[in-house]
Amino acid sequence: MECDSNKLMINDINGDSVSFDAYEKMAGYYFEDVDIKPFNAYFERPATLSLLPDVQGKSVLDAGCAAGWYSNWLLEQGANVTAVDFSPNMVAMTKKRVGNKAAVRQADLHEPLPFLADRSMDIVVSSLALHYLKTWEIVLAEFNRILKPQGLLIFSVHHPLRDFAAFPDSNYFRTETVEEEWEMNGETVKVRFYRRSLSTMITALLDAGLIIEKFLEPTPTRQFAELHPEDYKQLTTKPHFLMIRARKS
């Protein structure tokens, strides 16, 4: 019966979703190792967290929760957390991390989120997830629907110039699928995602009725420099991540 259940969840994944198999494979690694991986711990997270207000007592959606680092951090700060991810294995890792302290479920952000009520969330946090979506119209409309008035969307994605530099034969002005190979504990995992222009991102946010408040192109922390000085030198001269805070009017 367990196999049948997993099969149903896989069949429910939107056809435009990418890297499902990759993240199923990487779930254990994310749970064990990604908490201290420099690109996450000393680069992406400090920048994303800097955009968050006090979350004590707030209802927060962790959209694309992976193995649950953000969910756990939000709980420690006193938030009421709902977490979703399209990977059943990532959902299992998040549940392993946070237990029953958060509502955690499998959901594909390509699709509506009918289990979340209108105006039920104060904040939506989405860390390095939206570049796996082919289009942003549905997900941003859903975020707008579930956010309370003046609610916040805070998210991080690959910087569009980073992706264009990594794939110079692509068309910057088109939303295209690209693929990278990541090394995970000695195993090569192929990860696909969508690269899109900056104007496409901003237009999608504005069309969804969201007001952009802050826009970050961060550089890594000093802890990152101590661990990876060569990467640090490059990342202080070339963009890699992009963080945006937007507010519902």
Side-chain angles (χ1 to χ4, degrees):
M1 291 299 294
E2 184 67 22
C3 291
D4 290 342
S5 176
N6 287 339
K7 183 177 180 181
L8 283 173
M9 286 189 283
I10 292 171
N11 287 343
D12 286 342
I13 295 299
N14 187 290
D16 289 328
S17 296
V18 293
S19 293
F20 178 85
D21 291 340
Y23 276 93
E24 286 286 270
K25 290 179 182 178
M26 292 189 292
Y29 167 80
Y30 264 66
F31 183 82
E32 298 291 341
D33 297 329
V34 83
D35 286 3
I36 56 173
K37 185 180 178 183
F39 271 80
N40 296 88
Y42 306 125
F43 190 5
E44 187 272 335
R45 288 179 193 146
T48 300
L49 293 177
S50 74
L51 295 178
L52 279 165
D54 182 2
V55 300
Q56 174 73 38
K58 302 294 186 182
S59 295
V60 184
L61 173 66
D62 184 0
C65 60
W69 187 93
Y70 275 94
S71 291
N72 190 60
W73 184 90
L74 290 162
L75 288 166
E76 290 176 344
Q77 309 309 307
N80 303 308
V81 177
T82 300
V84 299
D85 200 279
F86 78 150
S87 162
N89 285 346
M90 287 294 191
V91 168
M93 292 300 102
T94 298
K95 289 180 177 179
K96 182 178 179 179
R97 187 189 297 268
V98 304
N100 61 2
K101 293 182 289 185
V104 186
R105 64 182 295 161
Q106 188 265 345
D108 190 336
L109 295 176
H110 271 105
E111 303 291 341
L113 306 171
F115 52 90
L116 296 175
D118 294 358
R119 301 186 178 189
S120 59
M121 295 290 159
D122 296 290
I123 302 168
V124 175
V125 176
S126 184
S127 169
L128 299 178
L130 295 185
H131 47 261
Y132 294 102
L133 304 184
K134 185 175 183 179
T135 62
W136 285 9
E137 285 79 8
I138 290 176
V139 68
L140 293 182
E142 283 295 276
F143 289 167
N144 191 30
R145 177 184 67 80
I146 66 175
L147 280 171
K148 298 175 183 178
Q150 302 303 307
L152 294 174
L153 166 62
I154 294 158
F155 69 93
S156 61
V157 289
H158 291 174
H159 197 291
L161 294 184
R162 175 264 185 202
D163 287 346
F164 186 63
F167 303 96
D169 293 333
S170 61
N171 182 338
Y172 175 79
F173 297 103
R174 293 177 55 188
T175 299
E176 299 177 329
T177 310
V178 293
E179 182 177 275
E180 292 182 334
E181 292 186 348
W182 295 358
E183 293 296 325
M184 298 288 177
N185 292 338
E187 181 182 1
T188 299
V189 180
K190 292 184 178 181
V191 180
R192 298 171 65 216
F193 55 91
Y194 294 95
R195 52 146 306 280
R196 52 175 49 82
S197 69
L198 180 59
S199 63
T200 300
M201 296 181 188
I202 292 174
T203 299
L205 286 163
L206 298 178
D207 285 350
L210 298 166
I211 300 167
I212 297 172
E213 287 192 338
K214 288 195 175 182
F215 185 101
L216 290 184
E217 297 171 298
T219 55
T221 63
R222 293 305 304 177
Q223 294 98 318
F224 187 105
E226 294 167 4
L227 292 167
H228 293 282
E230 290 302 315
D231 285 338
Y232 179 82
K233 182 177 180 181
Q234 179 180 3
L235 293 169
T236 54
T237 60
K238 296 178 175 63
H240 192 88
F241 291 134
L242 172 65
M243 287 76 180
I244 292 178
R245 185 172 81 188
R247 184 180 295 275
K248 177 177 177 176
S249 60

